Amino acid sequence: MEAVDYHAEERRKAEFNLEEMKIVWAGSRRIYEISDRMARLVASDPVFRKDNRTQLTRKDLFKDTLRKAAHAWKRIIELRLSEEEANMLRSYVDQPAFTDLHWGMFIPAIKGQGTNEQHEKWLPMAYKMQIIGCYAQTELGHGSNVQGLETTATFDPQSDEFDIHSPTLTSSKWWPGGLGKVSTHAVVYARLITDGQDHGVHGFIVQLRSLDDHLPLPGITVGDIGMKYGSGAYNSMDNGLLRFDHVRIPRNQMLMRVSQVTREGKFVQSDVPRQLVYGTMVYVRQTIVSDASRALSRAVCIATRYSAVRRQFGSQNGAPETQVIDYKTQQSRLFPLLASAYAFRFVGEWLKWLYTDVTQRLQANDFSTLPEAHACTAGLKSMTTSVTADGIEECRKLCGGHGYLANSGLPELFAVFLPTCTYEGDNVVARFLMKTVSQLGSGKKLVGTTAYMGRAEHLMQCRCEVEIAQDWLKPSVILEAFEARAVRMSIACSKRVGNFSNPEDGFAELSPDLLLVATAHCQLIVVSKFIEKLQQDIPGKGVKRQLEILCNVYALNLLHKHLGDFVSTGCITPKQGALANEQLRLLYSQVRPNAIALVDAFSYTDHYLGSVLGCYDGNVYQKLYQEAWKDPLNETVVPDGYLEYIQPILKQHIRTARL
Amino acid sequence: MEAVDYHAEERRKAEFNLEEMKIVWAGSRRIYEISDRMARLVASDPVFRKDNRTQLTRKDLFKDTLRKAAHAWKRIIELRLSEEEANMLRSYVDQPAFTDLHWGMFIPAIKGQGTNEQHEKWLPMAYKMQIIGCYAQTELGHGSNVQGLETTATFDPQSDEFDIHSPTLTSSKWWPGGLGKVSTHAVVYARLITDGQDHGVHGFIVQLRSLDDHLPLPGITVGDIGMKYGSGAYNSMDNGLLRFDHVRIPRNQMLMRVSQVTREGKFVQSDVPRQLVYGTMVYVRQTIVSDASRALSRAVCIATRYSAVRRQFGSQNGAPETQVIDYKTQQSRLFPLLASAYAFRFVGEWLKWLYTDVTQRLQANDFSTLPEAHACTAGLKSMTTSVTADGIEECRKLCGGHGYLANSGLPELFAVFLPTCTYEGDNVVARFLMKTVSQLGSGKKLVGTTAYMGRAEHLMQCRCEVEIAQDWLKPSVILEAFEARAVRMSIACSKRVGNFSNPEDGFAELSPDLLLVATAHCQLIVVSKFIEKLQQDIPGKGVKRQLEILCNVYALNLLHKHLGDFVSTGCITPKQGALANEQLRLLYSQVRPNAIALVDAFSYTDHYLGSVLGCYDGNVYQKLYQEAWKDPLNETVVPDGYLEYIQPILKQHIRTARL
């Protein structure tokens, strides 16, 4: 294949310094360099190839995943990679595996909920992978509601042990990744029962399989829960089921940092503040938002590059057809997603800062910002993941028919991302907002992302000053419109909740509207953090300018999409809404020449993207044609089954054929 | 397994006659009975089992599809099924196959575009399946834009033949179903060239494979294009690629009903009106809308049944948790989709009537209603298919984590439905609306679904009379609000297009807004056809009442979702919008007790639904548990790959392991 860059012309059009933009995207030059090194390491290693993944049977795919995980671990040890480097390497391998749970859930659970002695006993083994662990929380009949779990851990003072048991079918552990076939250990969540009393759900370290022959230990039934969404995708993971038939573990395998059971069977709460749990949640959610911006940016990169290759209609006098990226309909769907990828990247960065801030405060026994941080991270997690899932699917549609091919990479990207989406976060933020509104005027200090509510009086009656389309480019104008919308919707909803004699009934009855309030608030946060980012120094020719354009696209597209909110609360007039829409169209024209460079800035290798449509050089059609011949169906010219099932039809022998 | 009906209590709650509703859904008692008989026939035949489909390799899945197609054909012949019965049987087999294209595209293309002599020659062979055909239109570089196709058919007067050729890589035929491995013949679309002149795209019957040994004929390169979205799903179809290297066919294999090439090579247009093509399009689109309501109703059936089984949160004093179907958030997402399934069913029925009407008019040389029928069917096709695709995915989300399991049936339902979605229909209707608006007041008669525009003057200044929530139950109120919105958006957009000196520039620049106008118009059509349906006699206790509730849910949910349109055009006030929302909540409570029965009315067998979550008896958890053990990964307790890839990690031998 000739080394022609079909996007060369597009790349020349860019009006900003690409290298500097890459660093902005990565977060720092240091991270950019590590990330780039790890990406190349994975891309150049044949063990990590993944282009045949959707062709494998479940068993072969799983074995391939085990091989990749072992090889990655080998390379991590050989190259003495740091934890940061090792994490990046694993993420570029881009194939869900038991290691994700071992490093991402099992170890953090022990670190967060275990005592120092437990740390000393378990963590060194886990770090060396002498044991492999997973996180066994959800059950067949119980998902988000942890308090509804049925598995029991009954303390037996006689033997100083817990008896772990699955009393019902619905209590079977169900979904934990790495559980089905690999993990030797699990942190199991179960109802603690001492002396006939139920003390709620706690975590226990339970060995599942023998370290000698990998067979399940007595009393343990464990297996894989079966095929999941799509081909390839998350089927590389052994999501598992697990049942306990009175399995005994020593007392010191209950994670006892926050609560203990004494030798005598007494349940004791420690003086460690329970709020620490929320600190961990803030951490986990920050990584989820970060994953969302990454997944969305991959999809956007594929769709943008292919939109510059693909041509349709608009041919005049025999000239080539129009690049689809030049159509306003395409731009109006694609560019807001491009802007969202950047917006989520920056809000993710801010969440990292928030986590550090919260952690420092916790260490100083300052819990004042925790509820707000808890609520806002829950809401952002929920909002960014759902926009990302929908956005990946939208990018697939934007690729036309070829987006439906497995080698477009988009079906698998979508399938793999889906489990990241969790929706219950909206409720958390909605309830927090209602509480905040109810305390307005009480003198309680409004912190962090709810600070704007302190200006409720002004925001309830302010009028948007936009007179011409260009006025919509002012950050202060955008910000005030979003703040006013969020405040007005919150207060209106709060009043309606107040009309119910029992507020819980009000919450239940109005929950769909409360979710809209939560969305308004979370969108405001993202907009405001994007604007804050732009108040910093950002080096590199044209870089800041491009980000300003994207920030405006992000905000004005939301305004256009949720026009009903803005207009019906009187935050803006219909005329101002129309002006915003007009400005948005102009912004699309400004994004257009920079679009390819803006996705190049993500710096994704062709291996990582895993998409024929999104390949760097844009030589899409030749690659599609070559890839097609690799399908197993093309191994023979006449398909297997011809003699039994096609010939009898053609030859009119079907009545007598043995099928 | 005990035969317990876990939904029995839910079924008792229903307030309407289920059997009568089943007939309303089917369209008539006769169709209901045939449909039911065919569904049972397929469900009870072990050859048609499909529960292991996502486990098969591409080759095995394809062979399984050949077997099912042959078996179906055998049954059709043995039982002497009518064409109607045969079509239903094939649809209940529910596995995309080459037969779909043979019966659905190849034969209709010959019927529609062939001359009488061509009918006599080709149709008898096709009906007996002595030849199997497909429809080879799209090319690697060319999708919707038929006029952009590159394949050439050059007439050679010397030999009285066409020379079919693929001049470029992008001219390779790409996507046609049934082409890759099975079809012996194809209707190939190519640029007709006679005497150096290009006469645009025409259809040609080309034999691809030998009827003796199934090998491709000389000059023909043919193969499968590879894996598509998801597992199972559309991978049962041999979507193909096809290249011609100067393949010769006799002149009489050009489909010559509308245009001919004479023996001398002269290009002649026949006097058959070209508008006939649109008649066929109306037919095809009507079936697509019908398919959409079917796919959406399957997803809704699964999500509704499982929402009544699944419980989460809300437990008080140790009582069971709340059924998720009782949550207003769940209702506000699920019930509008339930209502949409019914709405699309009825608009599909109306489209059947429209097709008959158009056909009769065409036979009487009356073309007056054709442009309107063409536009409205294009728009409805586009709108219903995109709502359905999004709706299936929404149903998956509404099933929580278990919706992500392949055996929920939803991932495959989504993947199979996606290719039905085509978006270009919006443009057709938008342009038609702009033309209609520009002719207002010219005295030109407004027909069919645009008749309301004749009342533009009134609709531009009418005021919605809603004062209390209940007012929103009046069909006339709803209808006027939707009509006013559509007219006002159309006229506003038309004015803006008029501001451009070249209207084509206006269309291009404002295309995103034009699509919103198209949506407003199409939603009005669906609402108005639903309302018309309710003006008929509908027998059966409570049946009409339930449909009225669903009609109101459908309309008011759209109003809520597109509040920005209604408020910013002044069709309703923000206060009236809030009242609609309030009424909507009350309607959800009325749907709730009937929800299970309303999906039972679709009369889908467990085989056809193909979903553990949606099974009729609701015994979900036991089935999930049993299904899990069937995964090939569970064939052994210790997974293949343990010795090579897991043990070396655990035993700290990874550095020396050969991976």
Side-chain angles (χ1 to χ4, degrees), chain A residues 467-481:
Chain A
E467 287 174 359
I468 55 170
Q470 234 185 330
D471 290 337
W472 275 118
L473 298 177
K474 296 177 196 159
S476 58
V477 168
I478 289 177
L479 212 51
E480 188 167 273

Side-chain angles (χ1 to χ4, degrees), chain A residues 193-207:
Chain A
I193 295 168
T194 63
D195 205 13
Q197 238 200 311
D198 184 329
H199 299 285
V201 172
H202 296 264
F204 301 83
I205 300 177
V206 184
Q207 183 172 353

Side-chain angles (χ1 to χ4, degrees), chain A residues 164-180:
Chain A
I164 312 281
H165 190 61
S166 310
T168 60
L169 176 71
T170 46
S171 75
S172 309
K173 292 293 174 189
W174 193 271
W175 275 117
L179 166 64

Side-chain angles (χ1 to χ4, degrees), chain A residues 48 50 52 83 118 128 134 188 198 247 286 308 325 471 473 479 507 511 540 562 568 582 604 639 644 651 656:
Chain A
F48 294 130
K50 55 179 183 164
N52 59 342
E83 201 177 317
Q118 289 174 321
K128 283 191 245 163
C134 65
V188 173
D198 184 329
V247 170
Q286 163 258 311
I325 199 173
D471 290 337
L473 298 177
L479 212 51
F507 277 119
S511 51
H562 299 271
S568 69
E582 197 179 305
Y604 295 141
E644 303 97 304
K651 301 288 184 200
T656 54

Side-chain angles (χ1 to χ4, degrees), chain A residues 59 74 128 140 145 181 224 227 229 312 321 402 404 406 415 509 585 634-636 651-652 657, chain B residues 59 74 128 140 144-145 181 211 224 227 229 321 402 404 406 415 509 585 625 634-636 652 657:
Chain A
K59 277 172 104 166
K74 187 176 187 176
K128 283 191 245 163
L140 185 53
N145 185 14
K181 292 284 142 183
D224 184 273
M227 287 283 285
Y229 201 109
Q312 249 208 143
E321 295 172 279
H402 297 347
Y404 189 69
E509 197 62 29
R585 276 194 292 122
N634 288 327
E635 282 165 15
T636 57
K651 301 288 184 200
Q652 311 294 295
Chain B
K59 277 171 103 166
K74 187 176 186 176
K128 283 191 246 163
L140 184 53
S144 308
N145 185 13
K181 292 283 143 185
L211 291 172
D224 184 274
M227 288 282 285
Y229 200 108
E321 295 172 278
H402 297 346
Y404 189 70
E509 195 62 28
R585 276 193 293 122
Y625 192 80
N634 288 327
E635 282 164 16
T636 58
Q652 312 293 296

